[in-house]
Amino acid sequence: MTMKGEKSWPLIFIICFFNLYLQRVSAQVPIPAKYDGFVYRTEDSQSSIMIEAFFDPLCPDSRDAWPPLKQALKYYSNRLSLIVHPFALPYHDNSFVACRALHIANNVNNSTTYPLLELFFKHQEKYYNQPTLNMSRASIVDHMIKLMVKVVGNSSLSAIVAGFKNRETDLTTRISFKYGCSRAVTGTPYFFVNGFPLLDSGSPLDYKKWRSIIDPLLGQHSAEPLHFFL
């Protein structure tokens, strides 16, 4: 997503390449114990197509991209796998906290990760820059904890609070951002299909577009060509 009036792409390019430069001149970026992202569905079949989506939970374009992608996942059933990587856009002031909340929910109960993502999409306007301009960081975190409890459950409140105090969840959220940078992600939503980035990334893809991308990979007829970066 690119906000009107902001030159966000050059900024993100600078951040990404600076990150990569630092990786090369300093120490190795910590390698996580498991692959980054939240598994929505993975299929063991070698014929399954892997989609990776980079979403910012406070990005309107990420929000709009999710329903048609879910529709495609339902249509293709076990022929599609999906992993969503949280990617906090730097010009969304509260995105890092929201991405951290997703990691915490995933640690506490991974069945609540996607319901929480959808809840952020539903209420994301409350966390935009302007409405939270006069709120402290602690107040924003407290507000998000109350939102998390709605899907993770009241019994998990202490674990959620502890998660925001745990340095590990902060580092994991940073790793997610660095991982996106390492794959040259410059905005959200950003999509990879079988490891290749889509040319149409950065904007929501409708269901028809997903059909035009996936059908040829499954040997089915499509009237539109594939849209990959080459």
Side-chain angles (χ1 to χ4, degrees), residues 22-29:
L22 288 179
Q23 291 177 29
R24 285 168 171 78
V25 300
S26 57
Q28 166 73 47
V29 173

Side-chain angles (χ1 to χ4, degrees), residues 147-169:
L147 190 72
M148 293 174 68
V149 165
K150 293 181 179 180
V151 293
V152 184
N154 285 314
S155 61
S156 299
L157 176 60
S158 60
I160 293 171
V161 173
F164 278 106
K165 296 179 180 179
N166 187 342
R167 175 69 171 164
E168 289 301 314
T169 64

